[in-house]
Amino acid sequence: MLSANLPEPLIIPRPEHPISRANISPNALKVLNRLKQAGFQAYLVGGGVRDLLLGHEPKDFDIATDATPEEVRSVFRNCRLIGRRFRLAHVFFGREIVEVATFRGSNADGGSDAQVTEQGMILRDNVYGSITEDALRRDFTVNALYYNIADFSLVDYAGGLADIEEGRLRLIGDDPVARYREDPVRMLRAVRFACKLGFIIDDDCAAPIRALAELLGEISPARLFEETLKLFHSGYALQAFEKLRHFDLFAQLFPETDACLAREDHAFPITFVSRGLDNTDQRILEGKPVAPAFLFAVLLWEPVRLRYQALLDDGVPSADAMALASQEVASAQQQWVAIQKRFALPMREIWALQPRLERRQGKRPMLLLSHPRFRAAYDFLLLRAEAGETDPEIAQWWTRFQAVDAAERAKMLGSTPQQRKRKRRKRKPKSDSLAAGAAAAAGAGAGGATGAMPADGGGAGAGSVPPSTIDAGPADGQSGRPSQRREKAHD
């Protein structure tokens, strides 16, 4: 629990710290100054201050104030209040959002707007307090540093400056277990900050993580989706993946994948996920875009692949087997990490194209080139080839097929192994068909003379169609002479 004795802060005057207003977002400065002019306290806080001290460019700037959310909204017309668990004010400047939070107070006395489970997890917390209480309510010491717009000083309540100098990530308070129980996502944040900052997690903070990992099951799958993107789309996905597995946290996010990774394939460890995450890191490093659909396709491919193979072994056709395997794995995953539909659909398309990429006969390759998910599916195929999961020759063929001109593509299509052609059923000679028709007509005439009718109620009178012309209708919805079209189809 947090200490009942509120500490005296360490205040660093402007000449003694490196933070300059020139490195702070102009819109964040507008919010800070307008709150100050309205008579409120206003501080830049959290990751923005931490990153400025480390010489990094902050991703966003958060502000803490003694103004309530409603008072913040009265100061800014371009403001919207959000959240139930934590009431926040978002001030909009075009695409940039400056988040403003009211100082949090202690919920130890059970405030009227605080809800805590028996296990200690905070469900709702709109209890307001002082800046000192707010600092001690934050998760890690390095995130509890405040930049005061009133005098440009730096305020440290929890020893965050010393931890930054030592490269140490430490929870605030003397009971890490209680802090993790308040919000189990802090375990994921510990991994993320350790990877992002290159810090070492304090021993006392790292020790209880494995035992408490199952607490993530109490977090909404939608929130875990957002945390997963932060972990794997920030340029250190491979490192985060290894730390998550080290602390048994990955199994709480992707249990089916974790179970698959525990086994070996032909006496070799499965490396596909690691290769995929390393590829994601390289793309971010090079400034290339990354897609959540591709990320989750990588993270869930191993259970999909195993289920797909099992269905094939049971005699299910390839396309149906992939559709069933994708549906089963994606649906089961929703109870842990809720993948949004706009990402789940392209993810499944990437999987569905994998068997099709291995079939290169006829017009299939040209049709696949125009598929909206072709490029993502091709990149996915390259990863599979690198991991030894599919024949590298297939990946090389597709790489060359995209690079050459139309004439060379035609040659490549002509040189690919063709599927075995079906034998065409022989048709009876036309003379035999005409003779059979004449015999049938004669029999019908004889039956008519005696007054007898065929047993099926039909007859081959003048309006009947000779057997030789029964197939004369359009074939496969196309007009023209069917016999010629049928022969062309088999050429």
Side-chain angles (χ1 to χ4, degrees):
M1 296 297 292
L2 300 179
S3 174
N5 299 319
L6 301 181
E8 289 295 325
L10 173 65
I11 299 178
I12 312 296
R14 173 62 188 93
E16 298 178 22
H17 69 76
I19 296 180
S20 168
R21 281 170 289 172
N23 298 324
I24 299 175
S25 161
N27 292 322
L29 289 174
K30 288 179 185 178
V31 174
L32 288 167
N33 286 315
R34 285 183 62 181
L35 286 171
K36 182 184 74 171
Q37 292 166 6
F40 299 108
Q41 300 178 49
Y43 295 83
L44 192 68
V45 66
V49 177
R50 178 202 66 217
D51 290 345
L52 288 171
L53 289 171
L54 289 169
H56 301 166
E57 183 178 354
K59 185 177 180 181
D60 46 41
F61 294 90
D62 297 335
I63 293 172
T65 178
D66 59 348
T68 65
E70 290 73 20
E71 289 171 332
V72 174
R73 184 168 57 182
S74 69
V75 175
F76 300 95
R77 291 185 301 173
N78 53 330
C79 175
R80 181 185 304 167
L81 303 187
I82 66 163
R84 285 193 329 185
R85 185 173 181 268
F86 296 115
R87 194 75 164 156
L88 300 169
H90 277 181
V91 184
F92 292 82
F93 296 91
R95 292 187 176 183
E96 182 180 0
I97 299 175
V98 178
E99 186 173 277
V100 183
T102 305
F103 295 146
R104 305 291 173 189
S106 171
N107 58 15
D109 57 354
S112 60
D113 206 8
Q115 295 179 14
V116 183
T117 67
E118 294 181 358
Q119 291 74 30
M121 187 171 76
I122 299 174
L123 299 179
R124 185 181 177 93
D125 180 23
N126 289 314
V127 178
Y128 305 131
S130 65
I131 183 175
T132 308
E133 292 175 305
D134 183 80
L136 299 182
R137 287 292 312 280
R138 295 183 177 272
D139 49 10
F140 299 100
T141 59
V142 296
N143 292 337
L145 298 168
Y146 295 75
Y147 174 80
N148 189 354
I149 194 63
D151 58 7
F152 316 123
S153 63
L154 196 61
V155 185
D156 180 7
Y157 283 92
L161 285 171
D163 286 337
I164 285 178
E165 292 177 1
E166 295 175 10
R168 178 176 59 181
L169 192 67
R170 183 168 57 88
L171 282 165
I172 295 174
D174 54 8
D175 189 351
V177 173
R179 302 311 310 275
Y180 287 139
R181 289 189 179 277
E182 286 177 358
D183 185 2
V185 169
R186 284 173 177 159
M187 293 183 284
L188 299 180
R189 288 167 62 83
V191 169
R192 178 157 63 90
F193 290 137
C195 295
K196 176 180 180 178
L197 305 175
F199 284 12
I200 297 174
I201 302 176
D202 183 75
D203 290 342
D204 291 339
C205 299
I209 292 180
R210 283 194 185 90
L212 300 175
E214 292 185 356
L215 291 176
L216 288 175
E218 301 175 9
I219 304 300
S220 73
R223 188 180 178 201
L224 291 180
F225 170 80
E226 298 295 337
E227 292 297 327
T228 300
L229 287 185
K230 293 176 183 178
L231 280 162
F232 294 124
H233 269 183
S234 298
Y236 42 81
L238 181 57
Q239 187 181 356
F241 169 68
E242 292 170 349
K243 282 189 178 293
L244 289 172
R245 295 202 72 202
H246 173 75
F247 288 114
D248 294 338
L249 294 171
F250 187 78
Q252 306 302 318
L253 300 174
F254 300 93
E256 291 193 47
T257 303
D258 189 73
C260 292
L261 295 177
R263 54 181 285 277
E264 293 184 344
D265 191 9
H266 298 93
F268 289 98
I270 298 170
T271 62
F272 177 79
V273 174
S274 297
R275 290 175 182 272
L277 295 177
D278 183 56
N279 176 266
T280 298
D281 290 340
Q282 291 300 319
R283 290 184 65 87
I284 292 174
L285 183 64
E286 295 168 6
K288 296 179 179 179
V290 290
F294 192 89
L295 169 68
F296 287 105
V298 167
L299 291 172
L300 294 172
W301 171 244
E302 195 58 30
V304 169
R305 183 180 71 86
L306 294 180
R307 181 59 181 146
Y308 168 66
Q309 188 59 52
L311 290 169
L312 287 181
D313 294 342
D314 290 341
V316 180
S318 177
D320 293 340
M322 182 58 74
L324 286 170
S326 301
Q327 172 64 27
E328 290 177 12
V329 173
S331 296
Q333 180 61 35
Q334 294 298 99
Q335 63 182 300
W336 295 294
V337 176
I339 305 171
Q340 296 175 10
K341 189 175 180 179
R342 62 191 174 119
F343 302 128
L345 292 179
M347 171 187 75
R348 293 174 61 177
E349 287 181 306
I350 292 171
W351 293 335
L353 288 178
Q354 296 310 300
R356 295 176 61 185
L357 287 169
E358 297 177 6
R359 298 192 291 269
R360 295 163 287 160
Q361 298 82 20
K363 298 180 180 179
R364 292 190 182 97
M366 294 304 299
L367 293 174
L368 284 178
L369 281 180
S370 63
H371 194 286
R373 304 293 173 223
F374 169 78
R375 185 66 199 188
Y378 163 73
D379 290 342
F380 200 85
L381 178 70
L382 293 181
L383 288 176
R384 293 175 60 212
E386 290 175 9
E389 183 189 308
T390 192
D391 188 350
E393 185 275 331
I394 298 175
Q396 293 167 7
W397 188 94
W398 277 106
T399 300
R400 183 165 179 266
F401 188 72
Q402 295 175 76
V404 298
D405 58 20
E408 188 63 25
R409 284 179 180 177
K411 291 180 181 179
M412 292 179 66
L413 292 175
S415 64
T416 53
Q418 298 294 318
Q419 288 185 333
R420 187 177 178 181
K421 295 180 180 179
R422 290 188 303 172
K423 289 185 178 181
R424 191 155 50 102
R425 187 173 61 182
K426 291 184 178 180
R427 299 175 64 182
K428 292 182 180 180
K430 191 172 183 180
S431 58
D432 294 347
S433 299
L434 290 174
T450 59
M453 294 293 293
D456 61 358
S464 299
V465 181
S468 61
T469 60
I470 288 177
D471 293 332
D476 298 327
Q478 299 181 38
S479 60
R481 296 179 181 177
S483 60
Q484 294 177 359
R485 291 181 177 276
R486 196 175 292 112
E487 289 169 1
K488 289 181 180 179
H490 292 279
D491 286 341

